[in-house]
Amino acid sequence: MVNLIWVSIFLIGLFYAMANGTMEEVNKAIFQGAEEGVTVSLGLISVLVFWLGLMRIAQEAGILDKLAKLFKPVVKKIFPEVPADHPAMGYILSNMIANVFGLGNAATPMGIKAMQELKKLNGMKDSASRSMVTLLAINTSSLTLIPTTVIAIRMKYGSVSPTEIVGTTIAATACGTIAALLIDRYFNRR
């Protein structure tokens, strides 16, 4: 359905440009946007590789295991249906830690694996379990301490102080995560 919406928007814009004689500007914008997209992507890849490397070093040093042990009691309260030794718990913890460090792209595969494991716990049903809904809510709001992707974009476009958003990001994502948990708990009790 979303694909149809995007195709419709594209076609409406294309026909509007043809009707108004602005196809040259549209073509210029398409190619300029594509070039800028590649440039931004290459810049983000370097930041992502850096943080993934740092996460790998932290994993090899045992720091991620210590963070997982630190967060495990909190995560166990959020996901009471998931057994503590189940693989889903490890994927959930990894997903949350990656999101805390602003590595949304790195967190996605772990979130998908967590959902697959939670689906197994749910008996492979087509309906989402409470834990699956909770993980989606937390992953969507994702408390972020270091917004690496946004900092990289701000650096790419020459921001004078690219890290000045850290404080507001922490406040905004903390509010979002708390709201997501409260709403999740409210609807689970109903």
Side-chain angles (χ1 to χ4, degrees), residues 2 5-6 25 30 41 43-45 63 77-78 88 102 111 149 181 185:
V2 173
I5 293 171
W6 282 113
E25 288 88 358
I30 287 172
S41 295
L44 291 177
I45 287 170
I63 295 170
K77 287 189 186 303
I78 296 172
T149 305
L181 285 171
R185 292 300 176 236

Side-chain angles (χ1 to χ4, degrees), residues 138-156:
I138 290 173
N139 201 21
T140 303
S141 64
S142 76
L143 175 65
T144 304
L145 298 179
I146 306 168
T148 54
T149 305
V150 177
I151 291 171
I153 291 170
R154 289 173 57 91
M155 288 172 61
K156 164 76 178 107

Side-chain angles (χ1 to χ4, degrees), residues 111-168:
I112 291 169
K113 288 297 283 180
M115 282 293 191
Q116 289 171 342
E117 292 296 327
L118 290 172
K119 186 170 183 172
K120 289 177 189 174
L121 277 176
N122 194 27
M124 299 303 285
K125 296 178 185 170
D126 287 335
S127 60
S129 68
R130 174 183 178 208
S131 296
M132 293 169 86
V133 172
T134 302
L135 177 61
L136 183 63
I138 290 173
N139 201 21
T140 303
S141 64
S142 76
L143 175 65
T144 304
L145 298 179
I146 306 168
T148 54
T149 305
V150 177
I151 291 171
I153 291 170
R154 289 173 57 91
M155 288 172 61
K156 164 76 178 107
Y157 286 104
S159 173
V160 176
S161 182
T163 59
E164 73 182 350
I165 59 159
V166 171
T168 53

Side-chain angles (χ1 to χ4, degrees), residues 46-157:
S46 63
V47 172
L48 186 61
V49 167
F50 170 75
W51 281 103
L52 286 174
L54 209 55
M55 288 282 281
R56 185 67 161 173
I57 292 168
Q59 182 182 17
E60 295 291 325
I63 295 170
L64 290 184
D65 291 333
K66 289 176 184 170
L67 280 173
K69 285 179 185 173
L70 179 71
F71 286 120
K72 199 168 196 170
V74 174
V75 174
K76 186 65 188 143
K77 287 189 186 303
I78 296 172
F79 298 94
E81 311 82 32
V82 180
D85 59 342
H86 195 275
M89 188 61 75
Y91 288 121
I92 290 169
L93 284 162
S94 297
N95 175 271
M96 291 175 77
I97 290 170
N99 275 325
V100 163
F101 290 115
L103 300 171
N105 294 334
T108 301
M110 292 176 265
I112 291 169
K113 288 297 283 180
M115 282 293 191
Q116 289 171 342
E117 292 296 327
L118 290 172
K119 186 170 183 172
K120 289 177 189 174
L121 277 176
N122 194 27
M124 299 303 285
K125 296 178 185 170
D126 287 335
S127 60
S129 68
R130 174 183 178 208
S131 296
M132 293 169 86
V133 172
T134 302
L135 177 61
L136 183 63
I138 290 173
N139 201 21
T140 303
S141 64
S142 76
L143 175 65
T144 304
L145 298 179
I146 306 168
T148 54
T149 305
V150 177
I151 291 171
I153 291 170
R154 289 173 57 91
M155 288 172 61
K156 164 76 178 107
Y157 286 104

Side-chain angles (χ1 to χ4, degrees), residues 5-37:
I5 293 171
W6 282 113
V7 168
S8 299
I9 291 172
F10 177 76
L11 290 175
I12 290 169
L14 197 61
F15 288 128
Y16 184 81
M18 282 192 285
N20 288 323
T22 56
M23 280 301 289
E24 186 176 329
E25 288 88 358
V26 170
N27 285 333
K28 185 187 281 186
I30 287 172
F31 290 112
Q32 186 177 6
E35 180 183 333
E36 193 168 316

